[in-house]
Amino acid sequence: RETSNTAGGGTGHALPVRTPRFSSCFGVVMGTSVKYSSRGPALIPRMKSKHRIYYITLFSVVLLGLIATGMFQFWPHSIESSAEWTVDRRSVHDAPLTLAVACTPALICALNLLLQVYIYPLQRFVDDVGVPISSTGLSREYNDLLSAISDSDFYTDDVTRACLFVPSIDVLNQNSLRIRETAQALATLPRWDKGMNHLLFNMLPGGPPDYNTALDVPRDRALLAGGGFSTWTYRQGYDVSIPVYSPLSDEVDLPERQPGPRRYFILSSQTAIHREYRVELERLKEENGEALLLLDKCSNLSQDMASARKRCYKAINMSLLTVLGARLGQATLSDVLQAGCVPVIMADSYILPFSEVLDWKRASVVIPEEKLPEMYMILKSIPPRQVEEMQRQARWFWEAYFRSMRAIGLTTLQIINDRIYPYAACTYEHWNNPPVVKWSSVNSPLFLPLIPPRSPGFTAVVLTYDRVESLFRVITEIAKVPSLAKLLVVWNNQNKSPPEESLWPKIAVPLKVVRTKENKLSNRFFPFDEIETEAVLAIDDDIIMLTSDELQFGYEVWREFPDRLVGYPGRLHLWDHEMGKWKYESEWTNEVSMVLTGAAFYHKYFNYLYTYKMPGDIKNWVDAHMNCEDIAMNFLVANITGKAPIKVTPRKKFKCPECTAIDGLSLDQTHMVERSECINKFASVFGTMPLKVVEHRADPVLYKDDFPEKLKSFPNIGSL
Amino acid sequence: MQAKKRYLLVSAGACALLLAYAWTLRVAELHTRLPQGPVLPAPPPLRSYLEGAEHEEDGPLLLHQHTSPRERRDVHRNMYKSRRCRMETCFDFSRCRHAFRVYVHPPARGEATSEGYRKVLAAIEESRYRTRDPAEACLFVLGVDTLDRDRLSPQYVPDAGGRIRALPLWNEGRNHLVFNLYSGTWPDYAEDLGFDAGHAMLAKASADAGNFRPGFDVSIPLFPREHPLKGGGRGRLTTNDVPPARRYLLVFKGKRYLTGIGSETRNALHHVHNGDDVILLTTCRHGKDWEKHKDGRCDRDNEEYGKFDYQELLHNSTFCLVPRGRRLGSFRFLEALQAACIPVLLSNGWELPFSEVIDWNKAAIIGDERLLLQIPSITRSVGADRILALRQQTQLLWDSYFSSVSKIVLTTLEIIQDRIHTHMSRSKLMWNTLPGGLYALPQFSTEPTLFPFYYGLLGIAPQQGFTAVIQAVTSLQSPLQPILKLIIAVAKSKFCAQIVVLWNCDKASPHQSKWPSVPVPFTVVEGRRKTMSGRFFPHDVIRTDAVLSLDEDSVLSTNEVDFAFIVWRSFPERVVGYPARSHYWDAGKERWGYTSKWTNEYSMVLTGAAFYHRYGTHMDRGGGGASGQHLANCEDILMNFLVSAVTKLPPIKVTQKKQYKETMMQQGSKSSRWADPDHFAQRQSCTNAFTDWFGFMPLVRSQLRLDPVLFKDQVSILRKKYRDIERL
């Protein structure tokens, strides 16, 4: 029967013993109290009653103080107060941050939902004869792990707020544990409660001869983050499969190498392969010669495992063979990934590390053990380009999730966190895309290939200040377009009221006037509730030269490319080599990378993005300069979809005949300089140049074809 | 007062001690705050967790101790049977050495098979995996209907177990796949098939995670009897409205069970119903004697239930509740998916359909039955961006895997195939993004960067070069033959990486010296079949992703080739080419028509001069239906069907000099198939045959053509990059 009443100091068989510094400290205090109590009883009877009360009070105060101090010592105190701990913390701070910050959920994934993890104070457990329950005690790795957790955002020192508890009992390696005693020690943890919400980390489960695939220590309902689960022991959605950490990665520095073919095609670096497999591998080597490299035990027996593995590093190999040893989880996997080799996993029923979130198919080759004889053929059939991609992916997995105990620990917590808050979980792309890919990839918010129906039509949004006459002409022209559903006039002039209702042109579709509070260019992209259709036509109040056919055709083109800007006048950005910066170009060019929003169709979702999700201070810049709102929109759309805009129909003179040169903004020379500046400014805010250059524009199928005009759907295109 | 002094002294001493102690504590704390403090003694270095252990494992002694792998595998096979089956213990991989083939046991004569199971078998029959020879089969499917194993159901097949055991190839169910939709019956609805499935894999609806054998069973969705064999209804999402402008937030309408298993969840729904934007309706009016069990709320519920129309709710709600019924899965799930109504699952322990490959977090909200009351606030907290993404994902999944019985069955087979050919199986990326696992075939590659669909997602650009594949059917006679001009024009393009001539002529291919000398690698491949389809054979010589397919009589200038290639690089997943064709619905004859007339729309681009991505040649052309001999001349139509089915987008026509049509008419020599009067009728019937095979019309129409930016603009021709396109 084992009990242990730590706070009361009762003697149990597995009595926790404090770390040395504290026990000695306690000893001193204890001595005093003993002295006190031995004299006390003898003195009290001789005392006067008034002093008696005084002394008893004093005595109890002192005693209470002592008890309180004692309690403080015994109570699960925060780990930081241990000297040992402090030293390790320092070393952790020096270590480079890896995974991590990439997935600091507080920043990226969560809606303020974060798992709270509590770590039990460091204790050393011994049995009643004083033999520790573990032969190694606290290992370096477990210490690293705990300090990484205590440094992370997951950590809480408030036991009542914690959702997950991590015992400070090191069970990483089952071989160094006394199983029964460890279970007893776990059971003494104050909040153990059959292991509910407790997380154990174990990398080497089982022991000879049968090598179970999960920690043998009875753990009730505790979650197990284990290396080497098999499909039978892994409790899907509950346990977490973790890698077996390779301490070697700390000792050997392997810089990232370019993926590509290397000297050896296949390498087997494990020395503890069963003879049956060894024979098979040697046969393969005989058949295929130099492509295979089998590392054997060194003849010099004084060399240990570590050096054998170091040799593996030096070998320039391409893909690596991991044949099952006695265990499923192998530290070799970590070495393989670090070396940028593709692991070939031949371990039936092995649950790969972090398989819940990592897509191993992109980084490894899994072959059933039975097929070992065909291994060479199978690996040869994989195209080199694929091997290169896998090499890249493998190295990234190592850097992000395998490289340190910190990475392993935090990844485990993140996975558990994602399970608890699935609505705020990290995405597949987040887990699996290397930073380079994350940076260059685009995840278009409108990814479904839909060609929206024609019937809802589009809403025209006309931005105007005070050019009423021109505005009315524009309205009359647009009203002729068959698919126009609604007309919205954004009245940007605060000093002047829009004309009376009776003066507006009579058109067949609803016409709404919205008055704005400030004269801002950004108002034209505001997601007004009045916009009910998906398609929006942004148009200036001086664009009167577009024919109804051209506008209708523009809408048809937008339907085929609903995730792009579809506009009429096209513009280009160019790299000015002399100045070393971007330049805006409005001349007759063969290329297009922007369309002006003086006349452009786009999805109304981009209004929402422009108004609420525009990066940096671009919106303010636009409003302050009264310019470049269209360039900003082009940047935004290209950045989020990775696609170029579509210019429709031939070039026209986009100068309204009536307007004077001063009125038409676009003519001014300073205006051009300012727009070049905009491009440079926006490129620096986006951190990249998202605009895509294309050399095509869209015309009706039969445009300029020798075909009767009256049979064409859009005959009136390109007329001046 | 000696005693008093003594007491004072003692208490003073005690106080001093306490103070001293407190001070030490402070100091200690100080030290912890200043890690660099010199006072701290260095702790003994910690040891690595591996110490001792690794030696042991790799020690020479142990090398001989543990059992040999073969023995271990045998032990596993004996240990992990039936309920604990895994692929490596219960599946015979040696049957699948070659290709993945499925054999269907012939159903017994006169056996009643349910409509659902007939469709399942038909789907397998039509797939490219079916075989009639059990010897070459890797997977076996029962002829006995096992879909409904509810003993109280009229569809229940009695003595299925006996019939299955009697099958000569049953072999304890090894390599068998058993489809099942309903198992167990009232009152406990245990997952009991009523026969011993042994080592057979189960493709099962409403799978319970507790009994589910991961990596061995396949969870399939519950589909209704009317579910179409192929084609299937399209997803209902037509517009991407942001913010979602649907009337309701969360809806449900369905039966409520008053007692027994699975009743709690639906019985509690009324707590969340608010009659405004959360509409959760239940009825007790079902079954024979509902009135016997009815509770206080039944009448009120029934009244409310009648007020709303299910279809209307479904299509006007952002979220749809999918609570468990008697069994874990329910029909509501597929209905919600199709309606682009984001499913909110309340079914603890349900192994979701195809969970092995589908990432459901991207398309559904997975709730917890115990936390029903939180559901409204969870759904309200989902942002507009996420709703937009979730909703599109429901459509993607519906269209890719669930819209027809054929898709459900094929997905099941593909998942199993991926397990067997582990080294060439699709990644999660390929299963969960467009165009889905049934189109991204591992026969082409399993590396996502090689497909054009993932260029954006992975941040890569298409390759710089293309391979021109020229189909030659007439022998070389004069040095003025168009094919020679074509080769020279194409080779001049700076993007041309390689030219391949498919020699499909009866005469032997001419000597090397007869061909023009070109600066790029030039290969002549002897055609195996004298048909057009040889062109789309995935030739190993083609090294680039982009392929320019050409007829020998095509007339193209270098400018045109360059321009089309530049355009293709913007649309690498589509067919980009010159001659366009169109399809139309012939209402009079009730069939599809094919036209080569000039129209304002087109839906096909002929591959006589077109760019496409190499993946197009690796696509599923069906077991025979689509590539039958009489359809051989329609391979280019098939190519358009396939690519449009994958991309759901039209091809792209680019502009060209207006000679193509005329030239072709003049060139109409004996061998030109265009001159054949039967040719047109044949292509018409092809269009209809392909539509039947697909189960729907995949072609999409486009009204636009892509021209160079300055095409026919009134500006000096010297400013234009593609001048030749305008010159006549």
PDB file of all heavy atoms in Angstrom, chain A residues 236-261:
ATOM      1  N   GLN A 236      -6.585   7.832 -31.466  1.00  0.00           N
ATOM      2  CA  GLN A 236      -6.780   8.915 -32.431  1.00  0.00           C
ATOM      3  C   GLN A 236      -7.543  10.077 -31.812  1.00  0.00           C
ATOM      4  O   GLN A 236      -8.539   9.899 -31.141  1.00  0.00           O
ATOM      5  CB  GLN A 236      -7.580   8.354 -33.616  1.00  0.00           C
ATOM      6  CG  GLN A 236      -7.953   9.347 -34.659  1.00  0.00           C
ATOM      7  CD  GLN A 236      -7.098   9.189 -35.897  1.00  0.00           C
ATOM      8  OE1 GLN A 236      -6.750   8.086 -36.257  1.00  0.00           O
ATOM      9  NE2 GLN A 236      -6.757  10.280 -36.525  1.00  0.00           N
ATOM     10  N   GLY A 237      -7.032  11.265 -32.038  1.00  0.00           N
ATOM     11  CA  GLY A 237      -7.709  12.441 -31.531  1.00  0.00           C
ATOM     12  C   GLY A 237      -7.482  12.657 -30.049  1.00  0.00           C
ATOM     13  O   GLY A 237      -8.071  13.548 -29.453  1.00  0.00           O
ATOM     14  N   TYR A 238      -6.672  11.814 -29.433  1.00  0.00           N
ATOM     15  CA  TYR A 238      -6.441  11.942 -28.001  1.00  0.00           C
ATOM     16  C   TYR A 238      -4.947  12.038 -27.728  1.00  0.00           C
ATOM     17  O   TYR A 238      -4.439  13.026 -27.243  1.00  0.00           O
ATOM     18  CB  TYR A 238      -7.069  10.753 -27.292  1.00  0.00           C
ATOM     19  CG  TYR A 238      -7.249  10.979 -25.815  1.00  0.00           C
ATOM     20  CD1 TYR A 238      -8.174  11.908 -25.358  1.00  0.00           C
ATOM     21  CD2 TYR A 238      -6.505  10.273 -24.889  1.00  0.00           C
ATOM     22  CE1 TYR A 238      -8.339  12.128 -24.005  1.00  0.00           C
ATOM     23  CE2 TYR A 238      -6.667  10.493 -23.535  1.00  0.00           C
ATOM     24  CZ  TYR A 238      -7.587  11.419 -23.096  1.00  0.00           C
ATOM     25  OH  TYR A 238      -7.735  11.644 -21.768  1.00  0.00           O
ATOM     26  N   ASP A 239      -4.247  10.971 -28.107  1.00  0.00           N
ATOM     27  CA  ASP A 239      -2.797  10.997 -27.956  1.00  0.00           C
ATOM     28  C   ASP A 239      -2.177  11.847 -29.062  1.00  0.00           C
ATOM     29  O   ASP A 239      -2.821  12.152 -30.065  1.00  0.00           O
ATOM     30  CB  ASP A 239      -2.233   9.576 -28.042  1.00  0.00           C
ATOM     31  CG  ASP A 239      -2.644   8.744 -26.839  1.00  0.00           C
ATOM     32  OD1 ASP A 239      -2.808   9.340 -25.757  1.00  0.00           O
ATOM     33  OD2 ASP A 239      -2.807   7.529 -26.989  1.00  0.00           O
ATOM     34  N   VAL A 240      -0.911  12.176 -28.855  1.00  0.00           N
ATOM     35  CA  VAL A 240      -0.181  12.883 -29.903  1.00  0.00           C
ATOM     36  C   VAL A 240       1.067  12.066 -30.203  1.00  0.00           C
ATOM     37  O   VAL A 240       1.772  11.662 -29.291  1.00  0.00           O
ATOM     38  CB  VAL A 240       0.243  14.292 -29.439  1.00  0.00           C
ATOM     39  CG1 VAL A 240       0.941  15.035 -30.559  1.00  0.00           C
ATOM     40  CG2 VAL A 240      -0.943  15.080 -28.949  1.00  0.00           C
ATOM     41  N   SER A 241       1.297  11.828 -31.475  1.00  0.00           N
ATOM     42  CA  SER A 241       2.509  11.112 -31.840  1.00  0.00           C
ATOM     43  C   SER A 241       3.632  12.138 -32.014  1.00  0.00           C
ATOM     44  O   SER A 241       3.496  13.082 -32.782  1.00  0.00           O
ATOM     45  CB  SER A 241       2.267  10.347 -33.134  1.00  0.00           C
ATOM     46  OG  SER A 241       3.428   9.691 -33.521  1.00  0.00           O
ATOM     47  N   ILE A 242       4.705  11.950 -31.282  1.00  0.00           N
ATOM     48  CA  ILE A 242       5.807  12.914 -31.376  1.00  0.00           C
ATOM     49  C   ILE A 242       7.064  12.220 -31.890  1.00  0.00           C
ATOM     50  O   ILE A 242       7.160  11.000 -31.847  1.00  0.00           O
ATOM     51  CB  ILE A 242       6.095  13.606 -30.015  1.00  0.00           C
ATOM     52  CG1 ILE A 242       6.489  12.568 -28.960  1.00  0.00           C
ATOM     53  CG2 ILE A 242       4.914  14.414 -29.548  1.00  0.00           C
ATOM     54  CD1 ILE A 242       7.028  13.187 -27.685  1.00  0.00           C
ATOM     55  N   PRO A 243       8.012  12.985 -32.386  1.00  0.00           N
ATOM     56  CA  PRO A 243       9.249  12.366 -32.856  1.00  0.00           C
ATOM     57  C   PRO A 243      10.134  11.946 -31.689  1.00  0.00           C
ATOM     58  O   PRO A 243       9.947  12.404 -30.566  1.00  0.00           O
ATOM     59  CB  PRO A 243       9.918  13.478 -33.662  1.00  0.00           C
ATOM     60  CG  PRO A 243       9.314  14.736 -33.197  1.00  0.00           C
ATOM     61  CD  PRO A 243       7.972  14.425 -32.636  1.00  0.00           C
ATOM     62  N   VAL A 244      11.062  11.078 -31.994  1.00  0.00           N
ATOM     63  CA  VAL A 244      12.081  10.737 -31.007  1.00  0.00           C
ATOM     64  C   VAL A 244      13.211  11.735 -31.220  1.00  0.00           C
ATOM     65  O   VAL A 244      13.806  11.792 -32.291  1.00  0.00           O
ATOM     66  CB  VAL A 244      12.576   9.297 -31.217  1.00  0.00           C
ATOM     67  CG1 VAL A 244      13.643   8.963 -30.194  1.00  0.00           C
ATOM     68  CG2 VAL A 244      11.420   8.338 -31.111  1.00  0.00           C
ATOM     69  N   TYR A 245      13.458  12.513 -30.202  1.00  0.00           N
ATOM     70  CA  TYR A 245      14.435  13.591 -30.348  1.00  0.00           C
ATOM     71  C   TYR A 245      15.836  13.011 -30.503  1.00  0.00           C
ATOM     72  O   TYR A 245      16.206  12.062 -29.827  1.00  0.00           O
ATOM     73  CB  TYR A 245      14.373  14.490 -29.123  1.00  0.00           C
ATOM     74  CG  TYR A 245      15.425  15.574 -29.108  1.00  0.00           C
ATOM     75  CD1 TYR A 245      15.381  16.598 -30.038  1.00  0.00           C
ATOM     76  CD2 TYR A 245      16.449  15.558 -28.172  1.00  0.00           C
ATOM     77  CE1 TYR A 245      16.334  17.584 -30.039  1.00  0.00           C
ATOM     78  CE2 TYR A 245      17.408  16.549 -28.151  1.00  0.00           C
ATOM     79  CZ  TYR A 245      17.352  17.561 -29.094  1.00  0.00           C
ATOM     80  OH  TYR A 245      18.293  18.544 -29.095  1.00  0.00           O
ATOM     81  N   SER A 246      16.585  13.596 -31.384  1.00  0.00           N
ATOM     82  CA  SER A 246      17.946  13.129 -31.579  1.00  0.00           C
ATOM     83  C   SER A 246      18.905  14.153 -30.983  1.00  0.00           C
ATOM     84  O   SER A 246      19.075  15.236 -31.528  1.00  0.00           O
ATOM     85  CB  SER A 246      18.199  12.956 -33.081  1.00  0.00           C
ATOM     86  OG  SER A 246      19.563  12.795 -33.304  1.00  0.00           O
ATOM     87  N   PRO A 247      19.535  13.837 -29.850  1.00  0.00           N
ATOM     88  CA  PRO A 247      20.447  14.792 -29.199  1.00  0.00           C
ATOM     89  C   PRO A 247      21.619  15.127 -30.115  1.00  0.00           C
ATOM     90  O   PRO A 247      22.298  16.131 -29.936  1.00  0.00           O
ATOM     91  CB  PRO A 247      20.930  14.063 -27.951  1.00  0.00           C
ATOM     92  CG  PRO A 247      20.051  12.888 -27.800  1.00  0.00           C
ATOM     93  CD  PRO A 247      19.496  12.554 -29.141  1.00  0.00           C
ATOM     94  N   LEU A 248      21.820  14.269 -31.098  1.00  0.00           N
ATOM     95  CA  LEU A 248      22.929  14.472 -32.011  1.00  0.00           C
ATOM     96  C   LEU A 248      22.786  15.768 -32.807  1.00  0.00           C
ATOM     97  O   LEU A 248      23.770  16.397 -33.168  1.00  0.00           O
ATOM     98  CB  LEU A 248      22.929  13.298 -32.990  1.00  0.00           C
ATOM     99  CG  LEU A 248      24.265  12.898 -33.548  1.00  0.00           C
ATOM    100  CD1 LEU A 248      25.139  12.389 -32.432  1.00  0.00           C
ATOM    101  CD2 LEU A 248      24.061  11.828 -34.586  1.00  0.00           C
ATOM    102  N   SER A 249      21.558  16.153 -33.051  1.00  0.00           N
ATOM    103  CA  SER A 249      21.356  17.330 -33.895  1.00  0.00           C
ATOM    104  C   SER A 249      21.942  18.569 -33.236  1.00  0.00           C
ATOM    105  O   SER A 249      22.246  19.543 -33.903  1.00  0.00           O
ATOM    106  CB  SER A 249      19.874  17.525 -34.175  1.00  0.00           C
ATOM    107  OG  SER A 249      19.173  17.573 -32.966  1.00  0.00           O
ATOM    108  N   ASP A 250      22.083  18.504 -31.936  1.00  0.00           N
ATOM    109  CA  ASP A 250      22.696  19.609 -31.225  1.00  0.00           C
ATOM    110  C   ASP A 250      24.194  19.652 -31.488  1.00  0.00           C
ATOM    111  O   ASP A 250      24.796  20.711 -31.554  1.00  0.00           O
ATOM    112  CB  ASP A 250      22.485  19.409 -29.722  1.00  0.00           C
ATOM    113  CG  ASP A 250      21.583  20.471 -29.168  1.00  0.00           C
ATOM    114  OD1 ASP A 250      21.096  21.287 -29.962  1.00  0.00           O
ATOM    115  OD2 ASP A 250      21.376  20.465 -27.955  1.00  0.00           O
ATOM    116  N   GLU A 251      24.767  18.455 -31.607  1.00  0.00           N
ATOM    117  CA  GLU A 251      26.224  18.379 -31.712  1.00  0.00           C
ATOM    118  C   GLU A 251      26.704  18.615 -33.135  1.00  0.00           C
ATOM    119  O   GLU A 251      27.780  19.147 -33.357  1.00  0.00           O
ATOM    120  CB  GLU A 251      26.707  16.997 -31.252  1.00  0.00           C
ATOM    121  CG  GLU A 251      26.372  16.713 -29.798  1.00  0.00           C
ATOM    122  CD  GLU A 251      26.516  15.233 -29.492  1.00  0.00           C
ATOM    123  OE1 GLU A 251      27.376  14.578 -30.118  1.00  0.00           O
ATOM    124  OE2 GLU A 251      25.772  14.739 -28.625  1.00  0.00           O
ATOM    125  N   VAL A 252      25.912  18.168 -34.068  1.00  0.00           N
ATOM    126  CA  VAL A 252      26.361  18.276 -35.449  1.00  0.00           C
ATOM    127  C   VAL A 252      25.657  19.435 -36.129  1.00  0.00           C
ATOM    128  O   VAL A 252      24.438  19.535 -36.070  1.00  0.00           O
ATOM    129  CB  VAL A 252      26.043  16.979 -36.220  1.00  0.00           C
ATOM    130  CG1 VAL A 252      26.632  17.039 -37.607  1.00  0.00           C
ATOM    131  CG2 VAL A 252      26.568  15.799 -35.456  1.00  0.00           C
ATOM    132  N   ASP A 253      26.401  20.260 -36.745  1.00  0.00           N
ATOM    133  CA  ASP A 253      25.787  21.378 -37.439  1.00  0.00           C
ATOM    134  C   ASP A 253      25.716  21.047 -38.916  1.00  0.00           C
ATOM    135  O   ASP A 253      26.730  20.880 -39.577  1.00  0.00           O
ATOM    136  CB  ASP A 253      26.619  22.646 -37.213  1.00  0.00           C
ATOM    137  CG  ASP A 253      25.977  23.821 -37.911  1.00  0.00           C
ATOM    138  OD1 ASP A 253      24.733  23.884 -37.887  1.00  0.00           O
ATOM    139  OD2 ASP A 253      26.703  24.640 -38.473  1.00  0.00           O
ATOM    140  N   LEU A 254      24.520  20.921 -39.399  1.00  0.00           N
ATOM    141  CA  LEU A 254      24.353  20.580 -40.812  1.00  0.00           C
ATOM    142  C   LEU A 254      23.628  21.714 -41.505  1.00  0.00           C
ATOM    143  O   LEU A 254      22.429  21.863 -41.353  1.00  0.00           O
ATOM    144  CB  LEU A 254      23.505  19.323 -40.939  1.00  0.00           C
ATOM    145  CG  LEU A 254      24.217  18.002 -41.023  1.00  0.00           C
ATOM    146  CD1 LEU A 254      23.197  16.916 -41.264  1.00  0.00           C
ATOM    147  CD2 LEU A 254      25.236  18.002 -42.138  1.00  0.00           C
ATOM    148  N   PRO A 255      24.328  22.541 -42.238  1.00  0.00           N
ATOM    149  CA  PRO A 255      23.632  23.627 -42.922  1.00  0.00           C
ATOM    150  C   PRO A 255      22.722  23.057 -44.005  1.00  0.00           C
ATOM    151  O   PRO A 255      22.950  21.953 -44.508  1.00  0.00           O
ATOM    152  CB  PRO A 255      24.765  24.446 -43.526  1.00  0.00           C
ATOM    153  CG  PRO A 255      25.935  23.544 -43.570  1.00  0.00           C
ATOM    154  CD  PRO A 255      25.754  22.493 -42.527  1.00  0.00           C
ATOM    155  N   GLU A 256      21.703  23.814 -44.329  1.00  0.00           N
ATOM    156  CA  GLU A 256      20.778  23.352 -45.353  1.00  0.00           C
ATOM    157  C   GLU A 256      21.498  23.261 -46.695  1.00  0.00           C
ATOM    158  O   GLU A 256      22.296  24.120 -47.043  1.00  0.00           O
ATOM    159  CB  GLU A 256      19.601  24.307 -45.442  1.00  0.00           C
ATOM    160  CG  GLU A 256      18.489  23.716 -46.266  1.00  0.00           C
ATOM    161  CD  GLU A 256      17.200  24.520 -46.174  1.00  0.00           C
ATOM    162  OE1 GLU A 256      17.139  25.445 -45.360  1.00  0.00           O
ATOM    163  OE2 GLU A 256      16.291  24.190 -46.941  1.00  0.00           O
ATOM    164  N   ARG A 257      21.195  22.182 -47.411  1.00  0.00           N
ATOM    165  CA  ARG A 257      21.850  22.016 -48.708  1.00  0.00           C
ATOM    166  C   ARG A 257      20.823  22.093 -49.814  1.00  0.00           C
ATOM    167  O   ARG A 257      19.655  21.836 -49.610  1.00  0.00           O
ATOM    168  CB  ARG A 257      22.508  20.641 -48.772  1.00  0.00           C
ATOM    169  CG  ARG A 257      23.527  20.428 -47.707  1.00  0.00           C
ATOM    170  CD  ARG A 257      23.933  18.980 -47.737  1.00  0.00           C
ATOM    171  NE  ARG A 257      24.042  18.526 -49.129  1.00  0.00           N
ATOM    172  CZ  ARG A 257      24.878  17.581 -49.518  1.00  0.00           C
ATOM    173  NH1 ARG A 257      25.681  17.015 -48.658  1.00  0.00           N
ATOM    174  NH2 ARG A 257      24.923  17.194 -50.768  1.00  0.00           N
ATOM    175  N   GLN A 258      21.304  22.432 -50.984  1.00  0.00           N
ATOM    176  CA  GLN A 258      20.410  22.451 -52.130  1.00  0.00           C
ATOM    177  C   GLN A 258      19.872  21.052 -52.362  1.00  0.00           C
ATOM    178  O   GLN A 258      20.638  20.090 -52.337  1.00  0.00           O
ATOM    179  CB  GLN A 258      21.182  22.891 -53.376  1.00  0.00           C
ATOM    180  CG  GLN A 258      21.172  24.377 -53.595  1.00  0.00           C
ATOM    181  CD  GLN A 258      19.765  24.947 -53.590  1.00  0.00           C
ATOM    182  OE1 GLN A 258      18.898  24.445 -54.279  1.00  0.00           O
ATOM    183  NE2 GLN A 258      19.530  25.973 -52.802  1.00  0.00           N
ATOM    184  N   PRO A 259      18.575  20.923 -52.542  1.00  0.00           N
ATOM    185  CA  PRO A 259      18.085  19.595 -52.870  1.00  0.00           C
ATOM    186  C   PRO A 259      18.579  19.170 -54.246  1.00  0.00           C
ATOM    187  O   PRO A 259      18.905  20.014 -55.079  1.00  0.00           O
ATOM    188  CB  PRO A 259      16.577  19.756 -52.851  1.00  0.00           C
ATOM    189  CG  PRO A 259      16.297  21.181 -52.750  1.00  0.00           C
ATOM    190  CD  PRO A 259      17.543  21.923 -52.472  1.00  0.00           C
ATOM    191  N   GLY A 260      18.665  17.890 -54.441  1.00  0.00           N
ATOM    192  CA  GLY A 260      19.111  17.394 -55.733  1.00  0.00           C
ATOM    193  C   GLY A 260      19.803  16.069 -55.539  1.00  0.00           C
ATOM    194  O   GLY A 260      19.959  15.601 -54.408  1.00  0.00           O
ATOM    195  N   PRO A 261      20.192  15.453 -56.619  1.00  0.00           N
ATOM    196  CA  PRO A 261      20.819  14.146 -56.500  1.00  0.00           C
ATOM    197  C   PRO A 261      22.145  14.238 -55.749  1.00  0.00           C
ATOM    198  O   PRO A 261      22.880  15.216 -55.877  1.00  0.00           O
ATOM    199  CB  PRO A 261      21.017  13.694 -57.948  1.00  0.00           C
ATOM    200  CG  PRO A 261      20.841  14.907 -58.773  1.00  0.00           C
ATOM    201  CD  PRO A 261      20.055  15.892 -58.000  1.00  0.00           C
TER     202      PRO A 261
END
